Amino acid sequence: MMIASLTISKNHERLLILFFLLTALYISNPVSAQTEPRGLAEFNQKRIDYNRSGMLILGSWAVGNMVLGGVMAGRTSGETRAFHQMNMYWNTVNLAIAGFGYYSATREVPSGEFWETMRAQQSIEKILLVNAALDVAYMAGGLYLLERGRRLENDQFKGFGKSVILQGAFLMSFDAIKFAFHNFHGKELPEIMNHVGVTTNGIGLLITF
């Protein structure tokens, strides 16, 4: 059992390094370097850029797991093979989500409307919190499969369980990092609203010369 665990760690070491490198790029996004008060359209553009970067990270993780899983599933057997097979299956879905999310982010036009901005910001934060709760459920399901596999001495259940635990842990870290960035970004809204006021045409941006 210990040998299998060490093998799993080795096989995913490079993928985890890739994840952290991409996260570093996500953190150092040049859009976040702005310090002057910005309008709502710029605020929304930054949110869109965060989403697009996040989908690139998720897609890279998915492709890496699918390639590694495809190679290792053909070279291993038993529990280890089942582990890599589930990684492949699971990340097929991740890749589809990442592709759709990236496409949606590239198509979204940053709004300059206040209420639409508020709805979009609240929506992304709620989605990430719900996703984090689902990630915990995934890990719990993986633990159940692993324990059931041990009781029944079923290598497939054990391999699948370990895979689901790993993928759930990754997604939880991914969603937690994304939530932290979006939540921190959302705190810029009060500063932006200091430059927004009511005009004869409704809510608008006040520019002081």
Side-chain angles (χ1 to χ4, degrees), residues 154-173:
N154 186 310
D155 286 341
Q156 187 175 55
F157 280 177
K158 287 188 283 186
F160 282 0
K162 287 185 177 182
S163 172
V164 174
I165 292 170
L166 172 68
Q167 299 302 327
F170 166 79
L171 288 174
M172 187 172 182
S173 301

Side-chain angles (χ1 to χ4, degrees), residues 32-101:
S32 65
Q34 301 180 30
T35 56
E36 297 180 358
R38 297 172 292 112
L40 293 175
E42 289 83 359
F43 177 89
N44 284 308
Q45 183 61 58
K46 185 174 178 180
R47 173 182 53 78
I48 293 169
D49 288 341
Y50 277 161
N51 286 337
R52 186 166 55 235
S53 299
M55 292 303 98
L56 285 174
I57 293 173
L58 180 61
S60 299
W61 171 263
V63 170
N65 272 273
M66 290 170 68
V67 172
L68 178 62
V71 172
M72 296 305 297
R75 296 181 179 179
T76 56
S77 60
E79 178 184 330
T80 305
R81 182 181 184 185
F83 171 79
H84 288 293
Q85 285 177 329
M86 178 56 76
N87 285 340
M88 218 172 19
Y89 305 150
W90 189 281
N91 282 285
T92 300
V93 178
N94 278 347
L95 184 60
I97 293 172
F100 177 77

Side-chain angles (χ1 to χ4, degrees), residues 106-149:
T106 57
R107 299 284 293 178
E108 183 177 353
V109 177
S111 172
E113 201 274 326
F114 172 69
W115 294 114
E116 188 174 340
T117 299
M118 290 293 294
R119 283 195 296 270
Q121 183 63 30
Q122 291 173 357
S123 176
I124 187 62
E125 292 187 19
K126 287 179 181 178
I127 288 172
L128 291 170
L129 287 175
V130 170
N131 284 349
L134 288 174
D135 298 337
V136 174
Y138 296 151
M139 288 189 286
L143 286 170
Y144 170 78
L145 280 175
L146 179 59
E147 183 58 32
R148 183 173 176 79

